[in-house]
Short mmCIF file of all heavy atoms in Angstrom, two decimals:
data_model
loop_
_atom_site.label_atom_id
_atom_site.label_comp_id
_atom_site.label_asym_id
_atom_site.label_seq_id
_atom_site.Cartn_x
_atom_site.Cartn_y
_atom_site.Cartn_z
N ILE A 1390 -5.27 9.57 0.79
CA ILE A 1390 -6.01 8.31 0.89
C ILE A 1390 -5.07 7.15 0.53
O ILE A 1390 -4.24 7.30 -0.34
CB ILE A 1390 -7.22 8.29 -0.09
CG1 ILE A 1390 -8.12 9.49 0.17
CG2 ILE A 1390 -7.97 6.99 -0.05
CD1 ILE A 1390 -8.89 9.45 1.44
N GLN A 1391 -5.24 6.05 1.23
CA GLN A 1391 -4.38 4.90 0.93
C GLN A 1391 -4.77 4.31 -0.41
O GLN A 1391 -5.91 3.88 -0.62
CB GLN A 1391 -4.61 3.83 2.01
CG GLN A 1391 -4.11 4.26 3.37
CD GLN A 1391 -2.66 3.85 3.58
OE1 GLN A 1391 -2.37 2.69 3.70
NE2 GLN A 1391 -1.78 4.81 3.62
N LEU A 1392 -3.85 4.26 -1.33
CA LEU A 1392 -4.08 3.60 -2.62
C LEU A 1392 -3.22 2.36 -2.68
O LEU A 1392 -2.14 2.30 -2.07
CB LEU A 1392 -3.68 4.51 -3.77
CG LEU A 1392 -4.56 5.72 -4.07
CD1 LEU A 1392 -4.00 6.50 -5.25
CD2 LEU A 1392 -5.98 5.25 -4.39
N GLU A 1393 -3.64 1.37 -3.42
CA GLU A 1393 -2.83 0.20 -3.63
C GLU A 1393 -1.55 0.60 -4.35
O GLU A 1393 -1.60 1.48 -5.24
CB GLU A 1393 -3.58 -0.80 -4.53
CG GLU A 1393 -4.93 -1.21 -3.99
CD GLU A 1393 -5.09 -2.70 -3.79
OE1 GLU A 1393 -4.58 -3.44 -4.65
OE2 GLU A 1393 -5.65 -3.09 -2.76
N SER A 1394 -0.46 -0.06 -4.03
CA SER A 1394 0.81 0.30 -4.68
C SER A 1394 0.73 0.00 -6.18
O SER A 1394 1.33 0.69 -7.01
CB SER A 1394 1.98 -0.46 -4.06
OG SER A 1394 1.72 -1.84 -4.11
N SER A 1395 -0.06 -1.03 -6.56
CA SER A 1395 -0.21 -1.34 -7.98
C SER A 1395 -0.86 -0.15 -8.72
O SER A 1395 -0.55 0.11 -9.89
CB SER A 1395 -1.07 -2.58 -8.14
OG SER A 1395 -2.29 -2.42 -7.47
N VAL A 1396 -1.72 0.60 -8.02
CA VAL A 1396 -2.38 1.73 -8.67
C VAL A 1396 -1.38 2.89 -8.83
O VAL A 1396 -1.28 3.49 -9.89
CB VAL A 1396 -3.60 2.19 -7.84
CG1 VAL A 1396 -4.18 3.50 -8.36
CG2 VAL A 1396 -4.68 1.09 -7.84
N THR A 1397 -0.64 3.19 -7.74
CA THR A 1397 0.30 4.29 -7.85
C THR A 1397 1.38 4.00 -8.88
O THR A 1397 1.78 4.87 -9.66
CB THR A 1397 0.96 4.64 -6.49
OG1 THR A 1397 1.31 3.42 -5.86
CG2 THR A 1397 0.01 5.36 -5.60
N SER A 1398 1.83 2.72 -8.98
CA SER A 1398 2.85 2.46 -9.98
C SER A 1398 2.25 2.43 -11.38
O SER A 1398 2.89 2.84 -12.36
CB SER A 1398 3.62 1.17 -9.69
OG SER A 1398 2.74 0.09 -9.70
N PHE A 1399 0.96 2.05 -11.49
CA PHE A 1399 0.33 2.06 -12.83
C PHE A 1399 0.24 3.48 -13.38
O PHE A 1399 0.55 3.73 -14.56
CB PHE A 1399 -1.06 1.41 -12.75
CG PHE A 1399 -1.65 1.11 -14.10
CD1 PHE A 1399 -1.27 -0.05 -14.80
CD2 PHE A 1399 -2.56 1.97 -14.69
CE1 PHE A 1399 -1.81 -0.30 -16.04
CE2 PHE A 1399 -3.09 1.72 -15.94
CZ PHE A 1399 -2.71 0.56 -16.62
N VAL A 1400 -0.16 4.41 -12.54
CA VAL A 1400 -0.34 5.81 -13.06
C VAL A 1400 1.01 6.53 -13.18
O VAL A 1400 1.11 7.54 -13.89
CB VAL A 1400 -1.31 6.64 -12.18
CG1 VAL A 1400 -2.71 6.07 -12.20
CG2 VAL A 1400 -0.83 6.81 -10.76
N ALA A 1401 2.05 5.99 -12.52
CA ALA A 1401 3.34 6.68 -12.55
C ALA A 1401 4.06 6.52 -13.90
O ALA A 1401 4.86 7.36 -14.31
CB ALA A 1401 4.23 6.18 -11.42
N LYS A 1402 3.76 5.39 -14.60
CA LYS A 1402 4.46 5.14 -15.86
C LYS A 1402 3.61 5.59 -17.05
O LYS A 1402 2.39 5.48 -17.00
CB LYS A 1402 4.68 3.62 -16.01
CG LYS A 1402 5.72 3.07 -15.09
CD LYS A 1402 6.18 1.69 -15.63
CE LYS A 1402 6.81 0.90 -14.48
NZ LYS A 1402 5.92 -0.03 -13.83
N THR A 1403 4.28 6.00 -18.12
CA THR A 1403 3.53 6.32 -19.34
C THR A 1403 2.91 5.01 -19.86
O THR A 1403 3.57 4.00 -20.02
CB THR A 1403 4.47 6.89 -20.43
OG1 THR A 1403 5.06 8.06 -19.90
CG2 THR A 1403 3.72 7.18 -21.71
N ARG A 1404 1.59 5.03 -20.03
CA ARG A 1404 0.88 3.81 -20.44
C ARG A 1404 0.95 3.69 -21.95
O ARG A 1404 0.69 4.62 -22.68
CB ARG A 1404 -0.59 3.82 -19.98
CG ARG A 1404 -0.86 4.00 -18.50
CD ARG A 1404 0.03 3.27 -17.56
NE ARG A 1404 0.33 1.87 -17.89
CZ ARG A 1404 1.15 1.10 -17.17
NH1 ARG A 1404 1.76 1.57 -16.11
NH2 ARG A 1404 1.34 -0.14 -17.53
N LYS A 1405 1.24 2.45 -22.39
CA LYS A 1405 1.36 2.19 -23.83
C LYS A 1405 0.07 1.57 -24.34
O LYS A 1405 -0.85 1.34 -23.60
CB LYS A 1405 2.55 1.26 -24.07
CG LYS A 1405 3.85 1.85 -23.52
CD LYS A 1405 5.03 1.04 -23.90
CE LYS A 1405 6.29 1.75 -23.39
NZ LYS A 1405 7.48 1.34 -24.07
N MET A 1406 0.06 1.28 -25.66
CA MET A 1406 -1.12 0.68 -26.26
C MET A 1406 -0.89 -0.82 -26.51
O MET A 1406 0.27 -1.22 -26.68
CB MET A 1406 -1.53 1.39 -27.54
CG MET A 1406 -0.44 1.55 -28.55
SD MET A 1406 -0.96 2.62 -29.93
CE MET A 1406 -0.94 4.21 -29.18
N LEU A 1407 -1.92 -1.58 -26.50
CA LEU A 1407 -1.79 -3.06 -26.68
C LEU A 1407 -2.15 -3.40 -28.13
O LEU A 1407 -3.30 -3.31 -28.56
CB LEU A 1407 -2.74 -3.78 -25.72
CG LEU A 1407 -2.74 -5.32 -25.79
CD1 LEU A 1407 -1.35 -5.88 -25.50
CD2 LEU A 1407 -3.77 -5.91 -24.83
N ILE A 1408 -1.11 -3.82 -28.86
CA ILE A 1408 -1.30 -4.22 -30.25
C ILE A 1408 -0.60 -5.54 -30.48
O ILE A 1408 0.62 -5.65 -30.25
CB ILE A 1408 -0.79 -3.14 -31.25
CG1 ILE A 1408 -1.59 -1.83 -31.04
CG2 ILE A 1408 -0.92 -3.62 -32.69
CD1 ILE A 1408 -1.18 -0.69 -31.94
N ASN A 1409 -1.35 -6.52 -30.92
CA ASN A 1409 -0.80 -7.85 -31.23
C ASN A 1409 -0.03 -8.43 -30.06
O ASN A 1409 1.07 -8.99 -30.20
CB ASN A 1409 0.08 -7.78 -32.48
CG ASN A 1409 0.10 -9.13 -33.17
OD1 ASN A 1409 -0.78 -9.99 -32.94
ND2 ASN A 1409 1.12 -9.35 -34.00
#
Side-chain angles (χ1 to χ4, degrees):
I1390 303 291
Q1391 292 270 291
L1392 287 180
E1393 303 237 321
S1394 55
S1395 53
V1396 171
T1397 44
S1398 62
F1399 192 81
V1400 297
K1402 288 198 200 96
T1403 300
R1404 303 319 316 177
K1405 301 188 176 200
M1406 53 188 74
L1407 179 60
I1408 297 179
N1409 207 19

